Amino acid sequence: MEWMLVVGTTGNSTTMRMNRATIGLTVGFFVCAAATAMAQATSGARIFRGSVGGSNFQMRLNTQGTNVSGTYSYDTVGEEIKLTGQLDAQGKLDLAEFDAKGKQTGKFACKQFYAVEPDCMWSRPDGTREAYATITEQHIGFANGLQIVPKTIANRRSGVKVSYPQLAAAGGALSAGAISFNRRVLALTQKAIKDFVPGSEAGKNALERNYNVLIANDDLISVEMTEYQYSGGAHPNDDFDSLTYDLSANKELGLDDLFKPGSDYKTAIAKYVVADIEKRAVAMEESDAKSEGRKPVKREDPIVTEDQLSEISSWGLTPKGLVVYFDFAHAIAVFDRTVIPYNVVSEYLKPNSPATRIYKH
């Protein structure tokens, strides 16, 4: 079971743009399962990455019936913070956090936890200092002692706050593939920092990067680095880098490594992307109309056609499908990212490609 929490308040070396306020919709492949399924989940820990007010953290949660417990720690601090809470049958999740002395220091609250865009927030115990946050499940399945640890780079003057993933071996040496993956991730991170040009107004700039492990096992790792950037102007940008690496073959994978030579997989992807964007756009309009007390407005033209799609800018692998990115204009950048179920492209996949192995697992 996969689940994602977006907490908010009212108040590829290739980059993608994405509206932070709509992040819950655009990462549809992390959409929460129904609350009743969560309530019936067996005990077991799940790992999450997230951010509160630009501070990145890693979280581990256990569920036993409706009880939820665990810990989380901020990347720049490392101290474990205890979590306990409840998830009820209506999808309401409440988590309280406690410091080492047992004093409550904050709380997470979420209504309709299983919804596409949960109504959630983090705050102090008394409800003050509400802040946006995200919590996204990490799909990690190492059996050989590998671990993924967060590393950080920060520069308060320029507004840089970056977390990036590095592989570590529990009590042993890293393989050549793991070492190469670490170097490549670091290079992508350093390039993003180098390319960031702060604006002239001091204290108004931000480059915040975090990461999500889309899938990781002994042979393969696919990660996504998320980026929030602001250096003046009308609006900030939310961007992505992605990296998929064959650890056993010590090779960074390209999209063509997944598909049969000469196959028309791009057409299959394009058809699905266009239809999925239209479906999501209709759902967004219906939701907005309902909240605003009006009738939905029907568009005469689609958001985008197959002919208007640019080349795929980047991609990743998840347990459920292939993630593809397009570099749309800012007005429709919420649709930059789409997950293609493996069965949509299965006939085009190479018999023993990483995507095929995930699909048939």
Side-chain angles (χ1 to χ4, degrees):
M1 178 175 61
E2 304 162 24
W3 45 304
M4 172 194 167
L5 169 63
V6 176
V7 185
T9 66
T10 55
N12 14 346
S13 49
T14 304
T15 56
M16 304 282 94
R17 290 189 303 274
M18 169 179 174
N19 189 313
R20 173 175 280 188
T22 56
I23 190 170
L25 179 62
T26 59
V27 289
F29 62 99
F30 286 121
V31 172
C32 303
T36 53
M38 187 65 187
Q40 296 170 3
T42 57
S43 59
R46 284 183 165 84
I47 299 173
F48 300 81
R49 295 275 316 157
S51 179
V52 172
S55 296
N56 301 327
F57 62 79
Q58 189 144 302
M59 179 181 289
R60 183 180 296 268
L61 292 179
N62 297 272
T63 61
Q64 181 65 54
T66 60
N67 297 319
V68 182
S69 63
T71 61
Y72 81 110
S73 63
Y74 290 96
D75 294 348
T76 55
V77 180
E79 182 179 348
E80 295 287 343
I81 302 172
K82 182 180 178 181
L83 295 167
T84 62
Q86 296 284 319
L87 176 64
D88 68 19
Q90 286 70 47
K92 181 181 179 183
L93 175 69
D94 291 298
L95 288 173
E97 66 173 55
F98 302 87
D99 63 17
K101 296 181 179 180
K103 178 182 178 181
Q104 185 176 355
T105 54
K107 61 182 180 180
F108 293 92
C110 180
K111 300 176 182 178
Q112 298 181 340
F113 180 72
Y114 51 85
V116 173
E117 294 186 63
D119 179 14
C120 308
M121 65 185 66
W122 178 94
S123 69
R124 291 294 192 186
D126 61 1
T128 61
R129 296 187 63 179
E130 296 177 344
Y132 284 101
T134 61
I135 304 177
T136 304
E137 185 174 9
Q138 311 297 285
H139 299 280
I140 303 172
F142 293 126
N144 61 0
L146 277 178
Q147 300 174 350
I148 301 174
V149 297
K151 300 293 184 179
T152 62
I153 300 174
N155 185 319
R156 182 174 297 181
R157 181 184 296 271
S158 60
V160 172
K161 296 170 68 176
V162 169
S163 295
Y164 62 96
Q166 293 283 272
L167 291 171
L174 287 175
S175 67
I179 292 172
S180 296
F181 168 83
N182 285 348
R183 289 172 177 169
R184 180 65 175 134
V185 171
L186 178 58
L188 288 172
T189 303
Q190 291 173 332
K191 183 180 186 301
I193 295 172
K194 181 180 180 181
D195 291 346
F196 176 60
V197 180
S200 58
E201 192 172 358
K204 298 292 185 178
N205 301 293
L207 175 65
E208 300 170 2
R209 286 172 64 92
N210 200 358
Y211 66 89
N212 290 312
V213 181
L214 304 179
I215 195 167
N217 55 48
D218 296 347
D219 299 317
L220 177 78
I221 183 168
S222 187
V223 296
E224 171 187 84
M225 283 72 73
T226 63
E227 179 176 298
Y228 170 82
Q229 183 181 134
Y230 183 75
S231 56
H235 52 74
N237 284 326
D238 288 89
D239 308 320
F240 299 92
D241 291 336
S242 65
L243 175 63
T244 300
Y245 207 91
D246 187 327
L247 297 174
S248 58
N250 191 9
K251 176 186 177 182
E252 181 176 351
L253 296 177
L255 198 56
D256 286 340
D257 291 317
L258 306 182
F259 295 99
K260 299 172 184 176
S263 64
D264 196 19
Y265 70 88
K266 289 185 178 180
T267 297
I269 289 176
K271 288 182 181 296
Y272 183 89
V273 167
V274 169
D276 187 66
I277 287 175
E278 198 63 24
K279 180 179 178 181
R280 290 154 61 191
V282 169
M284 290 173 63
E285 170 60 19
E286 289 177 349
S287 177
D288 289 345
K290 183 177 180 180
S291 64
E292 295 167 8
R294 58 175 176 81
K295 293 183 178 180
V297 177
K298 293 185 178 181
R299 297 185 321 279
E300 295 183 359
D301 299 318
I303 295 291
V304 65
T305 66
E306 291 181 43
D307 292 338
Q308 293 171 331
L309 285 179
S310 60
E311 286 294 310
I312 296 170
S313 300
S314 189
W315 63 278
L317 295 174
T318 79
K320 298 298 183 181
L322 172 73
V323 189
V324 294
Y325 305 90
F326 294 88
D327 193 7
F328 294 136
H330 181 78
I332 59 171
V334 65
F335 302 112
D336 274 349
R337 179 180 184 175
T338 302
V339 178
I340 314 295
Y342 288 122
N343 61 4
V344 172
V345 294
S346 60
E347 66 180 284
Y348 307 106
L349 293 173
K350 292 178 179 179
N352 197 37
S353 75
T356 301
R357 294 196 296 269
I358 296 170
Y359 175 53
K360 292 185 175 181
H361 180 69

